[in-house]
Amino acid sequence: MVVSGPITPGQVSFLLGVIPVFIACIYSEFLEYKKSASHSKVHSDNNLVEVGDETIKEDDRAVLLEGGLTRSSSAKFHSSSIKMNLVRFLTTEDSFLLENRAILRAMAEFGAILVYFYICDRTNLLGESTKKYNCDFFLFLYALLIIVSVMTSLTKHTDKSAFSGKTMQYLSRHQTEEWKGWMQYGNFIFKCLFLMYHYYAAVEVYNAICVFIAAYVWMTGFGNFSYYYIRKDFSLARFTQYNEKPSVMAVKILACFFLVIFIWEIPGGFEIFWSPLAFLLGYTDPAKPDLPRLHEWHFRSGLDRYIWIIGMIYAYYHPNVGYIWYECIYKLDKATYNKYHPYTSWVPITCCVYLLAEFYSAASEFSLTLFVWLGKITLETYISQFHIWLRSDMPNGQPKWLLSFIPEYPLLNFMLTTAIYILISHRMFELTNTLKSVFIPTKDNRRLLYNFVAGVAISLCLYFTSLILLQIPHSTVSS
């Protein structure tokens, strides 16, 4: 059972921030209802900017790594100053609420999802169930999912390379998204292999999980580098600057290697670099309180510390070791494998890319749309699983239980919790893209800086207000 801890200033700050958003959202919907009722025409949303509802071509969507939303939806929000927008929000100005009804709706829905996260993760309102591992059953589900995907969502693509203008034979956007989907929803149904490991404690697949995670990190380096290089988006919002000259690019990639070597290979380098951020990155496992607070961050961040740089190199140059790796590295036990993984995870990924390029050029024109769709929400599903799919027996503990809505019916419970889990993950993907387009402008560094400062100021105000409110009960008791 989850033991709920005391109310924290962060929780109170969240409520102080989200309640006005809920009220403003409900009021804006009421204003829109009144406006619709007072006009005898079908479309009365002329003053409303509907974020994400605009029709955009799939090819344009495929260019954007995050899912592809247009920028016009937030034009009115950006045209006014932050101070003016905040005043109009606090005074519940009708025209402001109507103009930004879609944004308020997205913020309110995102807040409601976080409330659901809290209920599932930190309260005893919902039950939990034990893990029951049945490899045959989940292999059946995984095979069934593949068969259904092939029969219903096999799609041919003719992606053009932004570098040469020719048809891409491998590593197109659809392929990399599908790759993520296979990994994650192998992860999800068979837990291919996360479900077997986290969900069912199947230790025998741990090394395969590490390779899959490395492949995902590799694609992160590959995809983000491709975005920067193709889109020429060097704004502060992308958090980096690139230069097209090969010599400068090579220097920057080498600098990444040397930085990684300094942090993770030289004794004391990790503490020097990350200790100032221990308040943000530190984590104490209640089951292992004696470990340093940065132990988990050291392990997680260092496990795939080189592979993202390899992905960048592949993106720039687009370019029977596998058997040796399998026999000498992959078959090692978990603890020993972890020591070699940062230096060898590129081997199976390189082999996979080589095989894809050399032997499957015809098949590479096709992808399974279902897995492509699932691949787009891997980040949301990975984060959400620990809060609304699995359960822990203590706050901040590792999830060792399953969330249970229907006790004594494990398959029906699996179906229901999984459906809710996927739905919420998909909505989080859409909502974060919507809110990102509003609050994180891609080519307006000044506006981005103003939004950042305003966000920090509002967060501090809410936090200190919550501290004061939490002191009131103590003052009353002592008096």
Side-chain angles (χ1 to χ4, degrees):
M1 298 290 266
V2 176
V3 180
S4 300
I7 298 177
T8 65
Q11 295 168 359
V12 177
S13 301
F14 170 76
L15 290 177
L16 292 177
V18 78
I19 289 175
V21 173
F22 283 149
I23 295 174
C25 178
I26 295 172
Y27 185 51
S28 68
E29 297 294 339
F30 173 72
L31 291 175
E32 179 60 27
Y33 173 78
K34 285 179 56 180
K35 181 181 175 182
S36 301
S38 61
H39 294 81
S40 58
K41 55 183 179 180
V42 178
H43 301 290
S44 60
D45 287 340
N46 294 329
N47 294 324
L48 173 64
V49 180
E50 289 287 356
V51 181
D53 289 342
E54 300 174 6
T55 303
I56 54 179
K57 296 181 180 180
E58 180 62 25
D59 291 340
D60 295 334
R61 179 184 294 269
V63 174
L64 294 180
L65 200 70
E66 299 82 0
L69 292 176
T70 57
R71 299 188 190 93
S72 59
S73 58
S74 58
K76 288 188 177 181
F77 188 87
H78 287 162
S79 61
S80 302
S81 66
I82 295 176
K83 180 179 179 181
M84 181 60 66
N85 285 333
L86 188 58
V87 171
R88 296 176 69 192
F89 170 77
L90 294 176
T91 57
T92 62
E93 182 181 316
D94 291 0
S95 60
F96 176 81
L97 297 181
L98 283 172
E99 289 172 2
N100 298 281
R101 180 165 63 92
I103 298 174
L104 291 171
R105 186 191 303 160
M107 295 173 66
E109 185 178 353
F110 191 78
I113 288 175
L114 293 181
V115 172
Y116 178 71
F117 271 50
Y118 179 81
I119 293 174
C120 293
D121 193 35
R122 294 303 179 94
T123 71
N124 292 323
L125 297 178
L126 302 175
E128 63 274 325
S129 59
T130 57
K131 302 177 180 181
K132 297 179 181 179
Y133 176 39
N134 188 326
C135 181
D136 176 64
F137 176 72
F138 284 101
L139 279 174
F140 162 76
L141 285 183
Y142 188 43
L144 181 64
L145 179 62
I146 295 173
I147 293 172
V148 172
S149 299
V150 172
M151 294 178 64
T152 62
S153 65
L154 185 64
T155 306
K156 183 175 182 179
H157 303 284
T158 56
D159 295 331
K160 301 289 185 180
S161 171
F163 298 93
S164 62
K166 299 179 181 179
T167 301
M168 297 181 66
Q169 295 299 316
Y170 66 103
L171 292 181
S172 67
R173 172 171 173 85
H174 294 94
Q175 286 179 339
T176 54
E177 292 288 9
E178 182 188 13
W179 192 357
K180 294 178 185 177
W182 278 88
M183 289 186 298
Q184 184 68 12
Y185 289 92
N187 291 344
F188 165 67
I189 294 296
F190 182 47
K191 194 57 175 168
C192 182
L193 296 158
F194 287 148
L195 185 59
M196 290 177 60
Y197 182 70
H198 285 154
Y199 205 91
Y200 290 98
V203 180
E204 67 271 16
V205 299
Y206 175 84
N207 294 356
I209 291 173
C210 289
V211 174
F212 280 12
I213 294 177
Y216 186 90
V217 177
W218 179 92
M219 281 185 284
T220 300
F222 178 88
N224 280 282
F225 186 96
S226 299
Y227 179 95
Y228 299 136
Y229 192 82
I230 294 171
R231 300 280 293 182
K232 303 297 187 293
D233 184 358
F234 307 140
S235 61
L236 181 62
R238 301 303 300 186
F239 302 104
T240 189
Q241 295 275 343
Y242 281 95
N243 192 303
E244 294 186 28
K245 294 182 179 180
S247 59
V248 176
M249 194 67 66
V251 169
K252 291 186 176 182
I253 292 176
L254 283 175
C256 290
F257 270 114
F258 286 130
L259 180 62
V260 169
I261 291 172
F262 169 74
I263 295 176
W264 281 278
E265 306 297 346
I266 298 178
F270 182 86
E271 288 73 18
I272 294 174
F273 192 86
W274 292 115
S275 291
L277 297 176
F279 72 96
L280 183 64
L281 302 173
Y283 165 73
T284 299
D285 188 346
K288 303 175 182 178
D290 296 332
L291 292 176
R293 280 182 53 79
L294 288 175
H295 171 80
E296 190 74 11
W297 177 246
H298 182 272
F299 173 72
R300 300 294 178 183
S301 62
L303 199 58
D304 297 298
R305 53 185 177 268
Y306 291 109
I307 194 63
W308 61 275
I309 306 176
I310 303 296
M312 291 168 56
I313 296 174
Y314 266 84
Y316 189 65
Y317 294 104
H318 227 295
N320 287 307
V321 177
Y323 176 77
I324 299 175
W325 168 84
Y326 177 79
E327 290 292 332
C328 300
I329 304 297
Y330 181 77
K331 290 185 176 181
L332 295 173
D333 61 274
K334 172 181 175 179
T336 307
Y337 178 84
N338 281 341
K339 298 177 181 179
Y340 292 100
H341 176 79
Y343 313 101
T344 61
S345 60
W346 60 272
V347 175
I349 298 171
T350 302
C351 293
C352 180
V353 173
Y354 175 78
L355 291 174
L356 187 65
E358 295 294 326
F359 301 107
Y360 296 100
S361 58
S364 66
E365 297 179 2
F366 297 88
S367 66
L368 297 178
T369 304
L370 176 59
F371 282 99
V372 173
W373 181 81
L374 294 173
K376 290 181 179 180
I377 59 173
T378 49
L379 176 61
E380 290 76 15
T381 52
Y382 182 80
I383 294 174
S384 299
Q385 65 175 322
F386 302 111
H387 303 283
I388 60 174
W389 202 39
L390 307 174
R391 292 269 283 179
S392 59
D393 54 359
M394 63 184 71
N396 297 324
Q398 298 295 324
K400 297 180 179 180
W401 301 80
L402 309 178
L403 184 65
S404 177
F405 288 136
I406 311 176
E408 308 302 329
Y409 292 90
L411 295 182
L412 289 178
N413 182 72
F414 173 78
M415 179 185 67
L416 179 60
T417 56
T418 300
I420 296 174
Y421 161 60
I422 295 298
L423 173 62
I424 289 181
S425 297
H426 181 254
R427 287 303 300 157
M428 287 183 65
F429 171 79
E430 293 183 332
L431 292 172
T432 50
N433 276 297
T434 298
L435 297 176
K436 180 196 65 179
S437 66
V438 175
F439 296 106
I440 308 179
T442 55
K443 296 205 181 224
D444 189 346
N445 293 337
R446 177 175 295 183
R447 170 66 63 172
L448 177 64
L449 178 60
Y450 289 165
N451 288 352
F452 175 77
V453 173
V456 171
I458 293 173
S459 300
L460 290 176
C461 289
L462 292 175
Y463 188 81
F464 286 118
T465 303
S466 66
L467 285 176
I468 296 173
L469 293 176
L470 288 176
Q471 292 301 319
I472 293 177
H474 297 287
S475 301
T476 304
V477 171
S478 48
S479 59

